[in-house]
PDB file of all heavy atoms in Angstrom:
ATOM      1  N   SER R   5     -25.066   9.722   6.149  1.00 96.00           N
ATOM      2  CA  SER R   5     -24.698   9.692   4.739  1.00 96.00           C
ATOM      3  C   SER R   5     -25.618  10.576   3.925  1.00 96.00           C
ATOM      4  O   SER R   5     -26.816  10.653   4.201  1.00 96.00           O
ATOM      5  CB  SER R   5     -24.785   8.263   4.206  1.00 96.00           C
ATOM      6  OG  SER R   5     -23.888   7.413   4.884  1.00 96.00           O
ATOM      7  N   THR R   6     -25.047  11.235   2.929  1.00 98.00           N
ATOM      8  CA  THR R   6     -25.825  12.121   2.072  1.00 98.00           C
ATOM      9  C   THR R   6     -25.639  11.742   0.605  1.00 98.00           C
ATOM     10  O   THR R   6     -24.639  11.133   0.226  1.00 98.00           O
ATOM     11  CB  THR R   6     -25.406  13.587   2.262  1.00 98.00           C
ATOM     12  OG1 THR R   6     -24.007  13.717   1.971  1.00 98.00           O
ATOM     13  CG2 THR R   6     -25.667  14.046   3.685  1.00 98.00           C
ATOM     14  N   ASP R   7     -26.633  12.136  -0.191  1.00 98.00           N
ATOM     15  CA  ASP R   7     -26.571  11.881  -1.623  1.00 98.00           C
ATOM     16  C   ASP R   7     -27.319  12.996  -2.323  1.00 98.00           C
ATOM     17  O   ASP R   7     -28.262  13.558  -1.758  1.00 98.00           O
ATOM     18  CB  ASP R   7     -27.182  10.529  -1.959  1.00 98.00           C
ATOM     19  CG  ASP R   7     -26.766  10.045  -3.345  1.00 98.00           C
ATOM     20  OD1 ASP R   7     -25.809  10.601  -3.927  1.00 98.00           O
ATOM     21  OD2 ASP R   7     -27.405   9.103  -3.848  1.00 98.00           O
ATOM     22  N   TYR R   8     -26.898  13.304  -3.545  1.00 98.00           N
ATOM     23  CA  TYR R   8     -27.462  14.444  -4.254  1.00 98.00           C
ATOM     24  C   TYR R   8     -27.716  14.119  -5.712  1.00 98.00           C
ATOM     25  O   TYR R   8     -27.003  13.310  -6.328  1.00 98.00           O
ATOM     26  CB  TYR R   8     -26.484  15.633  -4.185  1.00 98.00           C
ATOM     27  CG  TYR R   8     -26.185  16.081  -2.776  1.00 98.00           C
ATOM     28  CD1 TYR R   8     -25.103  15.554  -2.082  1.00 98.00           C
ATOM     29  CD2 TYR R   8     -27.003  17.006  -2.135  1.00 98.00           C
ATOM     30  CE1 TYR R   8     -24.828  15.946  -0.783  1.00 98.00           C
ATOM     31  CE2 TYR R   8     -26.746  17.407  -0.840  1.00 98.00           C
ATOM     32  CZ  TYR R   8     -25.659  16.862  -0.173  1.00 98.00           C
ATOM     33  OH  TYR R   8     -25.401  17.246   1.121  1.00 98.00           O
ATOM     34  N   ALA R   9     -28.720  14.763  -6.256  1.00 98.00           N
ATOM     35  CA  ALA R   9     -28.924  14.708  -7.690  1.00 98.00           C
ATOM     36  C   ALA R   9     -27.748  15.392  -8.377  1.00 98.00           C
ATOM     37  O   ALA R   9     -27.169  16.339  -7.835  1.00 98.00           O
ATOM     38  CB  ALA R   9     -30.229  15.400  -8.056  1.00 98.00           C
ATOM     39  N   ASP R  10     -27.425  14.912  -9.556  1.00 98.00           N
ATOM     40  CA  ASP R  10     -26.284  15.480 -10.278  1.00 98.00           C
ATOM     41  C   ASP R  10     -26.442  16.982 -10.495  1.00 98.00           C
ATOM     42  O   ASP R  10     -25.459  17.724 -10.482  1.00 98.00           O
ATOM     43  CB  ASP R  10     -26.118  14.779 -11.624  1.00 98.00           C
ATOM     44  CG  ASP R  10     -25.580  13.362 -11.480  1.00 98.00           C
ATOM     45  OD1 ASP R  10     -25.036  13.032 -10.411  1.00 98.00           O
ATOM     46  OD2 ASP R  10     -25.710  12.594 -12.452  1.00 98.00           O
ATOM     47  N   SER R  11     -27.668  17.420 -10.668  1.00 97.00           N
ATOM     48  CA  SER R  11     -27.911  18.820 -10.987  1.00 97.00           C
ATOM     49  C   SER R  11     -27.590  19.766  -9.833  1.00 97.00           C
ATOM     50  O   SER R  11     -27.424  20.971 -10.048  1.00 97.00           O
ATOM     51  CB  SER R  11     -29.373  19.018 -11.404  1.00 97.00           C
ATOM     52  OG  SER R  11     -30.239  18.595 -10.369  1.00 97.00           O
ATOM     53  N   VAL R  12     -27.506  19.250  -8.612  1.00 98.00           N
ATOM     54  CA  VAL R  12     -27.246  20.111  -7.459  1.00 98.00           C
ATOM     55  C   VAL R  12     -25.967  19.742  -6.731  1.00 98.00           C
ATOM     56  O   VAL R  12     -25.568  20.432  -5.781  1.00 98.00           O
ATOM     57  CB  VAL R  12     -28.422  20.100  -6.462  1.00 98.00           C
ATOM     58  CG1 VAL R  12     -29.730  20.434  -7.171  1.00 98.00           C
ATOM     59  CG2 VAL R  12     -28.527  18.769  -5.739  1.00 98.00           C
ATOM     60  N   LYS R  13     -25.320  18.684  -7.146  1.00 98.00           N
ATOM     61  CA  LYS R  13     -24.119  18.208  -6.467  1.00 98.00           C
ATOM     62  C   LYS R  13     -23.047  19.302  -6.464  1.00 98.00           C
ATOM     63  O   LYS R  13     -22.791  19.938  -7.488  1.00 98.00           O
ATOM     64  CB  LYS R  13     -23.612  16.947  -7.162  1.00 98.00           C
ATOM     65  CG  LYS R  13     -22.687  16.096  -6.327  1.00 98.00           C
ATOM     66  CD  LYS R  13     -22.450  14.743  -7.008  1.00 98.00           C
ATOM     67  CE  LYS R  13     -23.705  13.899  -7.021  1.00 98.00           C
ATOM     68  NZ  LYS R  13     -23.466  12.555  -7.598  1.00 98.00           N
ATOM     69  N   GLY R  14     -22.465  19.516  -5.299  1.00 98.00           N
ATOM     70  CA  GLY R  14     -21.447  20.540  -5.161  1.00 98.00           C
ATOM     71  C   GLY R  14     -21.995  21.914  -4.824  1.00 98.00           C
ATOM     72  O   GLY R  14     -21.230  22.816  -4.464  1.00 98.00           O
ATOM     73  N   ARG R  15     -23.308  22.086  -4.935  1.00 98.00           N
ATOM     74  CA  ARG R  15     -23.921  23.393  -4.644  1.00 98.00           C
ATOM     75  C   ARG R  15     -24.867  23.317  -3.450  1.00 98.00           C
ATOM     76  O   ARG R  15     -25.009  24.291  -2.711  1.00 98.00           O
ATOM     77  CB  ARG R  15     -24.703  23.892  -5.859  1.00 98.00           C
ATOM     78  CG  ARG R  15     -23.853  24.081  -7.095  1.00 98.00           C
ATOM     79  CD  ARG R  15     -24.647  24.743  -8.225  1.00 98.00           C
ATOM     80  NE  ARG R  15     -25.779  23.942  -8.657  1.00 98.00           N
ATOM     81  CZ  ARG R  15     -27.051  24.353  -8.620  1.00 98.00           C
ATOM     82  NH1 ARG R  15     -27.362  25.549  -8.152  1.00 98.00           N
ATOM     83  NH2 ARG R  15     -28.023  23.558  -9.060  1.00 98.00           N
ATOM     84  N   PHE R  16     -25.538  22.194  -3.265  1.00 98.00           N
ATOM     85  CA  PHE R  16     -26.508  22.025  -2.184  1.00 98.00           C
ATOM     86  C   PHE R  16     -25.926  21.113  -1.111  1.00 98.00           C
ATOM     87  O   PHE R  16     -25.182  20.172  -1.411  1.00 98.00           O
ATOM     88  CB  PHE R  16     -27.799  21.397  -2.701  1.00 98.00           C
ATOM     89  CG  PHE R  16     -28.642  22.283  -3.582  1.00 98.00           C
ATOM     90  CD1 PHE R  16     -28.178  23.477  -4.091  1.00 98.00           C
ATOM     91  CD2 PHE R  16     -29.948  21.901  -3.902  1.00 98.00           C
ATOM     92  CE1 PHE R  16     -28.955  24.285  -4.897  1.00 98.00           C
ATOM     93  CE2 PHE R  16     -30.748  22.691  -4.712  1.00 98.00           C
ATOM     94  CZ  PHE R  16     -30.242  23.880  -5.208  1.00 98.00           C
ATOM     95  N   THR R  17     -26.309  21.383   0.131  1.00 98.00           N
ATOM     96  CA  THR R  17     -25.905  20.542   1.255  1.00 98.00           C
ATOM     97  C   THR R  17     -27.099  20.267   2.150  1.00 98.00           C
ATOM     98  O   THR R  17     -27.742  21.208   2.629  1.00 98.00           O
ATOM     99  CB  THR R  17     -24.797  21.218   2.083  1.00 98.00           C
ATOM    100  OG1 THR R  17     -23.673  21.510   1.243  1.00 98.00           O
ATOM    101  CG2 THR R  17     -24.342  20.298   3.216  1.00 98.00           C
ATOM    102  N   ILE R  18     -27.380  18.999   2.352  1.00 98.00           N
ATOM    103  CA  ILE R  18     -28.471  18.606   3.247  1.00 98.00           C
ATOM    104  C   ILE R  18     -27.884  18.286   4.614  1.00 98.00           C
ATOM    105  O   ILE R  18     -26.800  17.709   4.723  1.00 98.00           O
ATOM    106  CB  ILE R  18     -29.247  17.391   2.673  1.00 98.00           C
ATOM    107  CG1 ILE R  18     -30.487  17.085   3.512  1.00 98.00           C
ATOM    108  CG2 ILE R  18     -28.350  16.171   2.535  1.00 98.00           C
ATOM    109  CD1 ILE R  18     -31.404  16.043   2.872  1.00 98.00           C
ATOM    110  N   SER R  19     -28.613  18.687   5.654  1.00 96.00           N
ATOM    111  CA  SER R  19     -28.154  18.400   7.011  1.00 96.00           C
ATOM    112  C   SER R  19     -29.377  18.304   7.916  1.00 96.00           C
ATOM    113  O   SER R  19     -30.501  18.593   7.504  1.00 96.00           O
ATOM    114  CB  SER R  19     -27.197  19.483   7.514  1.00 96.00           C
ATOM    115  OG  SER R  19     -27.842  20.742   7.568  1.00 96.00           O
ATOM    116  N   ARG R  20     -29.134  17.910   9.163  1.00 95.00           N
ATOM    117  CA  ARG R  20     -30.238  17.740  10.092  1.00 95.00           C
ATOM    118  C   ARG R  20     -29.798  18.114  11.495  1.00 95.00           C
ATOM    119  O   ARG R  20     -28.610  18.040  11.820  1.00 95.00           O
ATOM    120  CB  ARG R  20     -30.724  16.283  10.064  1.00 95.00           C
ATOM    121  CG  ARG R  20     -29.649  15.303  10.536  1.00 95.00           C
ATOM    122  CD  ARG R  20     -29.994  13.880  10.134  1.00 95.00           C
ATOM    123  NE  ARG R  20     -31.231  13.468  10.761  1.00 95.00           N
ATOM    124  CZ  ARG R  20     -32.030  12.521  10.248  1.00 95.00           C
ATOM    125  NH1 ARG R  20     -31.708  11.950   9.107  1.00 95.00           N
ATOM    126  NH2 ARG R  20     -33.126  12.179  10.869  1.00 95.00           N
ATOM    127  N   ASP R  21     -30.747  18.531  12.289  1.00 93.00           N
ATOM    128  CA  ASP R  21     -30.517  18.781  13.710  1.00 93.00           C
ATOM    129  C   ASP R  21     -31.567  17.948  14.445  1.00 93.00           C
ATOM    130  O   ASP R  21     -32.729  18.357  14.557  1.00 93.00           O
ATOM    131  CB  ASP R  21     -30.658  20.269  14.030  1.00 93.00           C
ATOM    132  CG  ASP R  21     -30.306  20.587  15.472  1.00 93.00           C
ATOM    133  OD1 ASP R  21     -30.437  19.696  16.338  1.00 93.00           O
ATOM    134  OD2 ASP R  21     -29.928  21.735  15.744  1.00 93.00           O
ATOM    135  N   ASN R  22     -31.174  16.802  14.906  1.00 91.00           N
ATOM    136  CA  ASN R  22     -32.141  15.895  15.540  1.00 91.00           C
ATOM    137  C   ASN R  22     -32.721  16.484  16.820  1.00 91.00           C
ATOM    138  O   ASN R  22     -33.880  16.225  17.158  1.00 91.00           O
ATOM    139  CB  ASN R  22     -31.478  14.552  15.821  1.00 91.00           C
ATOM    140  CG  ASN R  22     -31.182  13.771  14.556  1.00 91.00           C
ATOM    141  OD1 ASN R  22     -31.863  13.922  13.546  1.00 91.00           O
ATOM    142  ND2 ASN R  22     -30.152  12.947  14.594  1.00 91.00           N
ATOM    143  N   ALA R  23     -31.948  17.296  17.523  1.00 92.00           N
ATOM    144  CA  ALA R  23     -32.445  17.902  18.758  1.00 92.00           C
ATOM    145  C   ALA R  23     -33.591  18.863  18.480  1.00 92.00           C
ATOM    146  O   ALA R  23     -34.464  19.064  19.319  1.00 92.00           O
ATOM    147  CB  ALA R  23     -31.313  18.622  19.477  1.00 92.00           C
ATOM    148  N   LYS R  24     -33.575  19.457  17.281  1.00 94.00           N
ATOM    149  CA  LYS R  24     -34.623  20.399  16.893  1.00 94.00           C
ATOM    150  C   LYS R  24     -35.647  19.786  15.948  1.00 94.00           C
ATOM    151  O   LYS R  24     -36.549  20.480  15.485  1.00 94.00           O
ATOM    152  CB  LYS R  24     -33.993  21.631  16.232  1.00 94.00           C
ATOM    153  CG  LYS R  24     -33.102  22.440  17.158  1.00 94.00           C
ATOM    154  CD  LYS R  24     -32.550  23.668  16.452  1.00 94.00           C
ATOM    155  CE  LYS R  24     -31.690  24.503  17.390  1.00 94.00           C
ATOM    156  NZ  LYS R  24     -31.139  25.706  16.713  1.00 94.00           N
ATOM    157  N   ASN R  25     -35.502  18.497  15.653  1.00 93.00           N
ATOM    158  CA  ASN R  25     -36.407  17.822  14.713  1.00 93.00           C
ATOM    159  C   ASN R  25     -36.508  18.599  13.402  1.00 93.00           C
ATOM    160  O   ASN R  25     -37.598  18.787  12.852  1.00 93.00           O
ATOM    161  CB  ASN R  25     -37.800  17.642  15.328  1.00 93.00           C
ATOM    162  CG  ASN R  25     -37.790  16.745  16.537  1.00 93.00           C
ATOM    163  OD1 ASN R  25     -36.963  15.831  16.635  1.00 93.00           O
ATOM    164  ND2 ASN R  25     -38.687  16.999  17.470  1.00 93.00           N
ATOM    165  N   THR R  26     -35.376  19.052  12.903  1.00 95.00           N
ATOM    166  CA  THR R  26     -35.366  19.914  11.733  1.00 95.00           C
ATOM    167  C   THR R  26     -34.361  19.429  10.704  1.00 95.00           C
ATOM    168  O   THR R  26     -33.255  19.012  11.048  1.00 95.00           O
ATOM    169  CB  THR R  26     -35.038  21.367  12.137  1.00 95.00           C
ATOM    170  OG1 THR R  26     -36.011  21.816  13.084  1.00 95.00           O
ATOM    171  CG2 THR R  26     -35.080  22.291  10.929  1.00 95.00           C
ATOM    172  N   LEU R  27     -34.784  19.503   9.465  1.00 96.00           N
ATOM    173  CA  LEU R  27     -33.956  19.170   8.307  1.00 96.00           C
ATOM    174  C   LEU R  27     -33.644  20.465   7.576  1.00 96.00           C
ATOM    175  O   LEU R  27     -34.492  21.357   7.513  1.00 96.00           O
ATOM    176  CB  LEU R  27     -34.732  18.221   7.395  1.00 96.00           C
ATOM    177  CG  LEU R  27     -34.027  17.620   6.197  1.00 96.00           C
ATOM    178  CD1 LEU R  27     -33.034  16.555   6.654  1.00 96.00           C
ATOM    179  CD2 LEU R  27     -35.048  17.001   5.247  1.00 96.00           C
ATOM    180  N   TYR R  28     -32.431  20.569   7.033  1.00 98.00           N
ATOM    181  CA  TYR R  28     -32.019  21.785   6.334  1.00 98.00           C
ATOM    182  C   TYR R  28     -31.542  21.464   4.927  1.00 98.00           C
ATOM    183  O   TYR R  28     -31.099  20.352   4.634  1.00 98.00           O
ATOM    184  CB  TYR R  28     -30.877  22.472   7.094  1.00 98.00           C
ATOM    185  CG  TYR R  28     -31.204  22.862   8.497  1.00 98.00           C
ATOM    186  CD1 TYR R  28     -30.779  22.090   9.577  1.00 98.00           C
ATOM    187  CD2 TYR R  28     -31.952  24.011   8.764  1.00 98.00           C
ATOM    188  CE1 TYR R  28     -31.083  22.444  10.877  1.00 98.00           C
ATOM    189  CE2 TYR R  28     -32.266  24.368  10.073  1.00 98.00           C
ATOM    190  CZ  TYR R  28     -31.825  23.575  11.121  1.00 98.00           C
ATOM    191  OH  TYR R  28     -32.136  23.927  12.407  1.00 98.00           O
ATOM    192  N   LEU R  29     -31.603  22.490   4.083  1.00 98.00           N
ATOM    193  CA  LEU R  29     -30.992  22.409   2.760  1.00 98.00           C
ATOM    194  C   LEU R  29     -30.311  23.744   2.493  1.00 98.00           C
ATOM    195  O   LEU R  29     -30.979  24.749   2.303  1.00 98.00           O
ATOM    196  CB  LEU R  29     -32.018  22.104   1.673  1.00 98.00           C
ATOM    197  CG  LEU R  29     -31.415  21.872   0.287  1.00 98.00           C
ATOM    198  CD1 LEU R  29     -30.595  20.580   0.278  1.00 98.00           C
ATOM    199  CD2 LEU R  29     -32.508  21.807  -0.781  1.00 98.00           C
ATOM    200  N   GLN R  30     -28.994  23.737   2.509  1.00 98.00           N
ATOM    201  CA  GLN R  30     -28.221  24.914   2.156  1.00 98.00           C
ATOM    202  C   GLN R  30     -28.010  24.898   0.654  1.00 98.00           C
ATOM    203  O   GLN R  30     -27.454  23.936   0.110  1.00 98.00           O
ATOM    204  CB  GLN R  30     -26.873  24.902   2.879  1.00 98.00           C
ATOM    205  CG  GLN R  30     -25.979  26.070   2.530  1.00 98.00           C
ATOM    206  CD  GLN R  30     -26.514  27.402   3.008  1.00 98.00           C
ATOM    207  OE1 GLN R  30     -27.013  27.508   4.122  1.00 98.00           O
ATOM    208  NE2 GLN R  30     -26.435  28.424   2.163  1.00 98.00           N
ATOM    209  N   MET R  31     -28.452  25.959   0.004  1.00 98.00           N
ATOM    210  CA  MET R  31     -28.372  26.035  -1.451  1.00 98.00           C
ATOM    211  C   MET R  31     -27.482  27.216  -1.830  1.00 98.00           C
ATOM    212  O   MET R  31     -27.825  28.369  -1.546  1.00 98.00           O
ATOM    213  CB  MET R  31     -29.773  26.210  -2.042  1.00 98.00           C
ATOM    214  CG  MET R  31     -30.748  25.134  -1.601  1.00 98.00           C
ATOM    215  SD  MET R  31     -32.337  25.219  -2.457  1.00 98.00           S
ATOM    216  CE  MET R  31     -32.910  26.811  -1.924  1.00 98.00           C
ATOM    217  N   ASN R  32     -26.369  26.916  -2.448  1.00 98.00           N
ATOM    218  CA  ASN R  32     -25.428  27.945  -2.889  1.00 98.00           C
ATOM    219  C   ASN R  32     -25.372  27.996  -4.413  1.00 98.00           C
ATOM    220  O   ASN R  32     -25.792  27.049  -5.085  1.00 98.00           O
ATOM    221  CB  ASN R  32     -24.040  27.664  -2.330  1.00 98.00           C
ATOM    222  CG  ASN R  32     -23.993  27.675  -0.815  1.00 98.00           C
ATOM    223  OD1 ASN R  32     -24.747  28.397  -0.167  1.00 98.00           O
ATOM    224  ND2 ASN R  32     -23.108  26.869  -0.253  1.00 98.00           N
ATOM    225  N   SER R  33     -24.836  29.074  -4.922  1.00 98.00           N
ATOM    226  CA  SER R  33     -24.666  29.229  -6.375  1.00 98.00           C
ATOM    227  C   SER R  33     -25.956  28.889  -7.116  1.00 98.00           C
ATOM    228  O   SER R  33     -25.949  28.109  -8.086  1.00 98.00           O
ATOM    229  CB  SER R  33     -23.511  28.357  -6.870  1.00 98.00           C
ATOM    230  OG  SER R  33     -22.313  28.677  -6.195  1.00 98.00           O
ATOM    231  N   LEU R  34     -27.038  29.457  -6.673  1.00 98.00           N
ATOM    232  CA  LEU R  34     -28.345  29.126  -7.251  1.00 98.00           C
ATOM    233  C   LEU R  34     -28.421  29.536  -8.704  1.00 98.00           C
ATOM    234  O   LEU R  34     -27.829  30.544  -9.136  1.00 98.00           O
ATOM    235  CB  LEU R  34     -29.447  29.786  -6.438  1.00 98.00           C
ATOM    236  CG  LEU R  34     -29.767  29.059  -5.129  1.00 98.00           C
ATOM    237  CD1 LEU R  34     -30.523  29.970  -4.170  1.00 98.00           C
ATOM    238  CD2 LEU R  34     -30.566  27.791  -5.398  1.00 98.00           C
ATOM    239  N   LYS R  35     -29.157  28.735  -9.463  1.00 98.00           N
ATOM    240  CA  LYS R  35     -29.343  28.948 -10.893  1.00 98.00           C
ATOM    241  C   LYS R  35     -30.830  29.104 -11.179  1.00 98.00           C
ATOM    242  O   LYS R  35     -31.668  28.580 -10.432  1.00 98.00           O
ATOM    243  CB  LYS R  35     -28.807  27.746 -11.666  1.00 98.00           C
ATOM    244  CG  LYS R  35     -27.349  27.424 -11.402  1.00 98.00           C
ATOM    245  CD  LYS R  35     -26.933  26.160 -12.154  1.00 98.00           C
ATOM    246  CE  LYS R  35     -25.479  25.824 -11.912  1.00 98.00           C
ATOM    247  NZ  LYS R  35     -25.085  24.578 -12.642  1.00 98.00           N
ATOM    248  N   PRO R  36     -31.180  29.761 -12.282  1.00 97.00           N
ATOM    249  CA  PRO R  36     -32.611  29.878 -12.627  1.00 97.00           C
ATOM    250  C   PRO R  36     -33.307  28.523 -12.710  1.00 97.00           C
ATOM    251  O   PRO R  36     -34.487  28.420 -12.364  1.00 97.00           O
ATOM    252  CB  PRO R  36     -32.564  30.583 -13.981  1.00 97.00           C
ATOM    253  CG  PRO R  36     -31.323  31.406 -13.935  1.00 97.00           C
ATOM    254  CD  PRO R  36     -30.337  30.568 -13.179  1.00 97.00           C
ATOM    255  N   GLU R  37     -32.603  27.494 -13.132  1.00 97.00           N
ATOM    256  CA  GLU R  37     -33.228  26.171 -13.237  1.00 97.00           C
ATOM    257  C   GLU R  37     -33.496  25.528 -11.882  1.00 97.00           C
ATOM    258  O   GLU R  37     -34.117  24.464 -11.815  1.00 97.00           O
ATOM    259  CB  GLU R  37     -32.371  25.230 -14.103  1.00 97.00           C
ATOM    260  CG  GLU R  37     -30.906  25.173 -13.724  1.00 97.00           C
ATOM    261  CD  GLU R  37     -30.047  26.098 -14.574  1.00 97.00           C
ATOM    262  OE1 GLU R  37     -30.455  27.266 -14.810  1.00 97.00           O
ATOM    263  OE2 GLU R  37     -28.952  25.658 -14.985  1.00 97.00           O
ATOM    264  N   ASP R  38     -33.043  26.152 -10.804  1.00 98.00           N
ATOM    265  CA  ASP R  38     -33.384  25.672  -9.464  1.00 98.00           C
ATOM    266  C   ASP R  38     -34.749  26.179  -9.010  1.00 98.00           C
ATOM    267  O   ASP R  38     -35.242  25.779  -7.948  1.00 98.00           O
ATOM    268  CB  ASP R  38     -32.329  26.126  -8.447  1.00 98.00           C
ATOM    269  CG  ASP R  38     -30.962  25.512  -8.696  1.00 98.00           C
ATOM    270  OD1 ASP R  38     -30.895  24.319  -9.031  1.00 98.00           O
ATOM    271  OD2 ASP R  38     -29.959  26.239  -8.554  1.00 98.00           O
ATOM    272  N   THR R  39     -35.356  27.040  -9.792  1.00 98.00           N
ATOM    273  CA  THR R  39     -36.671  27.572  -9.448  1.00 98.00           C
ATOM    274  C   THR R  39     -37.692  26.446  -9.356  1.00 98.00           C
ATOM    275  O   THR R  39     -37.858  25.669 -10.295  1.00 98.00           O
ATOM    276  CB  THR R  39     -37.117  28.601 -10.496  1.00 98.00           C
ATOM    277  OG1 THR R  39     -36.234  29.721 -10.446  1.00 98.00           O
ATOM    278  CG2 THR R  39     -38.537  29.064 -10.234  1.00 98.00           C
ATOM    279  N   ALA R  40     -38.347  26.336  -8.215  1.00 98.00           N
ATOM    280  CA  ALA R  40     -39.306  25.265  -7.963  1.00 98.00           C
ATOM    281  C   ALA R  40     -39.901  25.462  -6.576  1.00 98.00           C
ATOM    282  O   ALA R  40     -39.444  26.303  -5.801  1.00 98.00           O
ATOM    283  CB  ALA R  40     -38.622  23.893  -8.038  1.00 98.00           C
ATOM    284  N   VAL R  41     -40.908  24.654  -6.280  1.00 98.00           N
ATOM    285  CA  VAL R  41     -41.387  24.526  -4.907  1.00 98.00           C
ATOM    286  C   VAL R  41     -40.616  23.372  -4.283  1.00 98.00           C
ATOM    287  O   VAL R  41     -40.530  22.278  -4.862  1.00 98.00           O
ATOM    288  CB  VAL R  41     -42.894  24.268  -4.848  1.00 98.00           C
ATOM    289  CG1 VAL R  41     -43.347  24.123  -3.388  1.00 98.00           C
ATOM    290  CG2 VAL R  41     -43.660  25.393  -5.519  1.00 98.00           C
ATOM    291  N   TYR R  42     -40.056  23.607  -3.120  1.00 98.00           N
ATOM    292  CA  TYR R  42     -39.234  22.616  -2.436  1.00 98.00           C
ATOM    293  C   TYR R  42     -40.013  22.011  -1.273  1.00 98.00           C
ATOM    294  O   TYR R  42     -40.646  22.735  -0.493  1.00 98.00           O
ATOM    295  CB  TYR R  42     -37.944  23.255  -1.947  1.00 98.00           C
ATOM    296  CG  TYR R  42     -36.951  23.480  -3.050  1.00 98.00           C
ATOM    297  CD1 TYR R  42     -37.162  24.487  -3.996  1.00 98.00           C
ATOM    298  CD2 TYR R  42     -35.818  22.693  -3.185  1.00 98.00           C
ATOM    299  CE1 TYR R  42     -36.280  24.692  -5.038  1.00 98.00           C
ATOM    300  CE2 TYR R  42     -34.913  22.900  -4.219  1.00 98.00           C
ATOM    301  CZ  TYR R  42     -35.156  23.899  -5.142  1.00 98.00           C
ATOM    302  OH  TYR R  42     -34.260  24.090  -6.168  1.00 98.00           O
TER     303      TYR R  42
END
């Protein structure tokens, strides 16, 4: 199950690859207000 802040809903997608012990964040349609350290 996934959940998103309203500000990124529809643009960001969180996913995981358990075999690689890795978490991902696909960020599309980026906006200047997305500028931050993640």
Side-chain angles (χ1 to χ4, degrees):
S5 298
T6 58
D7 197 15
Y8 300 92
D10 288 343
S11 58
V12 307
K13 200 169 292 184
R15 300 187 298 121
F16 290 12
T17 303
I18 187 171
S19 62
R20 63 196 298 154
D21 185 334
N22 290 332
K24 296 182 178 180
N25 296 330
T26 302
L27 186 73
Y28 301 101
L29 186 67
Q30 178 67 42
M31 305 187 297
N32 299 329
S33 303
L34 282 162
K35 303 177 180 179
E37 50 263 44
D38 295 320
T39 295
V41 179
Y42 284 72

